[in-house]
Amino acid sequence: GSTAGHASVSRLGFALARDGLLPKVLSGVHTPRRVPVPAVLTFGVLIAIISFTAMPYIDVLTALVSFGAIVGFVVVNASVVVHFGIRHRSTRWFRHWISPITGIAVLLWVMTGIRVEALTLGVAWMVLGLVVFAISRLLRNRMTAPGND
């Protein structure tokens, strides 16, 4: 449960910081144990704050986690279609077309059962993430453009 989630988020935060997408301070590692201590502590505090703040809305928070998981699985299925079906022009119809498209349809149907508040928050969070991604990509491209030595 929560320990595995905390470990996952901390490792992801560490990797993003190491790649320059989050503040560098989060990429620090405790040398003997090889643990990203700054990321573990930072995300532990954030998780605690969010958890206590969201306690009255635990059902929405739970639905939001489900929304995120379903979106993740939709993206995985879509990537199979794009990578194998479209880019590699696969003729393995069941594996690279029918199965993932059916998976997407089922997941979207399951998503109709998620609370409206969670759907709204989830979509808003995704839009915010896309905006942050676009801005960071734009800034990175400007910094690496020829003439910016």
Side-chain angles (χ1 to χ4, degrees):
S2 64
T3 303
H6 178 206
S8 299
V9 167
S10 298
R11 291 284 177 182
L12 180 61
F14 161 76
L16 289 169
R18 184 191 58 208
D19 294 346
L21 299 171
L22 286 177
K24 268 299 191 215
V25 69
L26 296 175
S27 67
V29 176
H30 182 266
T31 308
R33 298 187 194 270
R34 302 184 66 189
V35 173
V37 173
V40 169
L41 293 176
T42 300
F43 289 105
V45 169
L46 286 173
I47 289 168
I49 291 169
I50 291 168
S51 297
F52 286 115
T53 304
M55 196 67 75
Y57 311 101
I58 196 71
D59 52 338
V60 176
L61 187 60
T62 303
L64 187 59
V65 170
S66 297
F67 171 83
I70 292 170
V71 168
F73 290 124
V74 167
V75 170
V76 167
N77 279 293
S79 68
V80 169
V81 172
V82 170
H83 181 74
F84 293 105
I86 296 172
R87 288 189 183 151
H88 292 284
R89 294 186 170 96
S90 175
T91 57
R92 297 179 83 171
W93 293 102
F94 185 77
R95 178 175 281 191
H96 297 145
W97 292 97
I98 296 169
S99 182
I101 290 171
T102 302
I104 291 169
V106 169
L107 288 164
L108 292 176
W109 176 76
V110 168
M111 199 177 285
T112 63
I114 293 179
R115 295 177 57 112
V116 173
E117 300 92 344
L119 289 172
T120 304
L121 282 170
V123 169
W125 191 250
M126 283 178 24
V127 168
L128 178 64
L130 290 171
V131 167
V132 168
F133 173 75
I135 290 170
S136 67
R137 187 125 195 208
L138 181 68
L139 292 174
R140 184 178 294 233
N141 288 344
R142 282 191 179 167
M143 293 174 75
T144 59
N148 287 342
D149 297 326

